[in-house]
Amino acid sequence: MWDRKHLLGIAELSAEEITEILDKAQHYTATALDESTTSDKLRGKRVALMFFENSTRTRVSFELAAQRLGASVTAMQMSASSVAKGESLRDTVLTVDAMGVDFMVVRHSSAGAPHQIAGWVSASVLNAGDGTHEHPTQALLDMLTIRRHKNDFDGLRVGIVGDIAHSRVARSDLIALKKLGADVVLIGPPTLVPGAFAQLGAEVAHNFDNAIHNCDVLYMLRIQCERLGGQQFPSMREYCEFYRLDGPRMRRAKPDVLVMHPGPMNRGIEIAADVADGPNAVVLEQVANGVAVRMALLDMMNNHR
Ligand code: CP
């Protein structure tokens, strides 16, 4: 039974809690995109979207999810807030909290920022991505998408490919997949697939062509140029040659392999356009499932308000 005020990371959730969220989200998939089915479960509740980093999918789907449940939503422009005048993170969130907000959806470039905020405010805090640490709602919508196609996680082999080192999505997905019983192989050049990830129970592979054939899911990641410090691989051309998911590589994969990507995609870099738009890809389904997952979370967390 769900009994949490905040959602800060996948690491803190049990397999049973993850499954409970997926079951509730599965229920919402039928109505999440249908405006005529708006409920009043969160009527009178206020949701503040506080994105200190850019977002399209996460921000819009949280907004739609809250609206579907009847909440009022304030989507703050953080770059146009008093943060630009030097107001601290603590003073900013305490100010918003003082206005009686019930939920704060926070994305921040610093790992751990949502955890800190949860200790300061009376609102429920949902982590919408913190630095390179976690992106729990992305992992939950990914698990829902995989479950809808593959039914069971036991014995499932998921290849996560690309810039693992800088990816909060990779980290949250890896933790969720292991808790649910899947096998995970992290694939990429040694500089972007650090050995430390093996300690979380994943295999590590540097040769995509050798690792692709027995994967049931291929989860492609973009190179996070905004988080790269120094030169992490010789050239983008070489990266594409060895790690892009394109037509020839797809012919080495299982015919029913599920192709996923959290977005935003860099078409032609980590994934070829015809694969991104092809019959195995479920990228837009992931986006749609994001609304259902965020509705489920707001609904379940509302019991704490
Ligand atoms: N997947 C994801 O978090 O996308 P946005 O950055 O657009 O929210």
Side-chain angles (χ1 to χ4, degrees):
M1 181 66 187
W2 179 262
D3 188 29
R4 290 182 187 273
K5 180 178 177 184
H6 308 290
L7 177 74
L8 301 175
I10 291 292
E12 71 203 26
L13 302 183
S14 67
E16 291 71 28
E17 285 174 303
I18 295 171
T19 301
E20 190 181 349
I21 297 165
L22 300 187
D23 291 345
K24 175 73 85 176
Q26 174 65 36
H27 158 78
Y28 276 123
T29 53
T31 56
L33 305 183
D34 180 358
E35 205 171 339
S36 68
T37 60
T38 297
S39 87
D40 58 2
K41 285 201 165 172
L42 264 69
R43 184 74 57 205
K45 297 297 166 73
R46 284 150 291 197
V47 178
L49 306 180
M50 306 180 74
F51 281 67
F52 296 85
E53 273 190 341
N54 294 342
S55 169
T56 298
R57 283 147 283 267
T58 313
R59 196 184 66 76
V60 174
S61 64
F62 261 118
E63 186 164 357
L64 288 175
Q67 287 170 348
R68 287 281 181 276
L69 295 171
S72 63
V73 185
T74 303
M76 295 181 63
Q77 291 284 343
M78 299 318 298
S79 58
S81 74
S82 291
V83 169
K85 299 179 203 161
E87 190 164 43
S88 70
L89 177 63
R90 186 168 185 274
D91 284 337
T92 300
V93 296
L94 285 176
T95 299
V96 174
D97 200 47
M99 295 183 217
V101 160
D102 298 285
F103 298 92
M104 286 186 191
V105 179
V106 179
R107 172 171 288 188
H108 201 281
S109 58
S110 295
H115 302 66
Q116 248 189 328
I117 293 168
W120 293 330
V121 300
S122 60
S124 289
V125 176
L126 294 104
N127 181 358
D130 62 324
T132 58
H133 178 228
E134 276 234 39
H135 192 347
T137 61
Q138 177 70 44
L140 291 166
L141 73 88
D142 291 335
M143 297 310 112
L144 180 64
T145 307
I146 292 172
R147 197 176 77 165
R148 281 165 69 85
H149 282 271
K150 301 291 184 186
N151 298 320
D152 200 358
F153 290 92
D154 267 339
L156 201 73
R157 188 169 170 84
V158 179
I160 305 178
V161 188
D163 186 1
I164 312 291
H166 302 96
S167 175
R168 56 194 175 208
V169 174
R171 190 179 162 78
S172 290
D173 274 18
L174 168 58
I175 297 169
L177 286 162
K178 293 304 297 178
K179 287 188 184 221
L180 294 173
D183 295 324
V184 180
V185 53
L186 304 175
I187 303 165
T191 45
L192 297 181
V193 185
F197 275 83
Q199 291 165 15
L200 293 172
E203 288 176 43
V204 170
H206 302 305
N207 187 319
F208 191 14
D209 286 326
N210 288 348
I212 195 170
H213 69 282
N214 59 355
C215 289
D216 300 293
V217 178
L218 290 170
Y219 196 99
M220 306 307 296
L221 297 170
R222 73 183 174 92
I223 301 289
Q224 302 211 18
C225 295
E226 73 275 24
R227 297 192 209 278
L228 286 179
Q231 190 76 354
Q232 309 263 337
F233 47 86
S235 71
M236 200 59 87
R237 186 196 58 75
E238 196 166 277
Y239 180 84
C240 294
E241 185 180 333
F242 291 113
Y243 296 104
R244 175 170 53 209
L245 186 58
D246 53 16
R249 263 194 191 105
M250 279 297 284
R251 286 192 276 283
R252 303 173 77 101
K254 289 186 175 183
D256 64 346
V257 69
L258 206 61
V259 174
M260 302 178 69
H261 195 302
M265 289 187 283
N266 289 314
R267 288 169 181 261
I269 304 290
E270 72 273 10
I271 188 166
D274 58 340
V275 176
D277 299 329
N280 296 74
V282 291
V283 179
L284 294 178
E285 203 179 312
Q286 289 171 259
V287 174
N289 286 338
V291 180
V293 159
R294 286 155 183 142
M295 286 177 78
L297 286 165
L298 289 170
D299 181 356
M300 293 162 78
M301 291 169 68
N302 193 38
N303 295 331
H304 255 283
R305 305 303 312 160

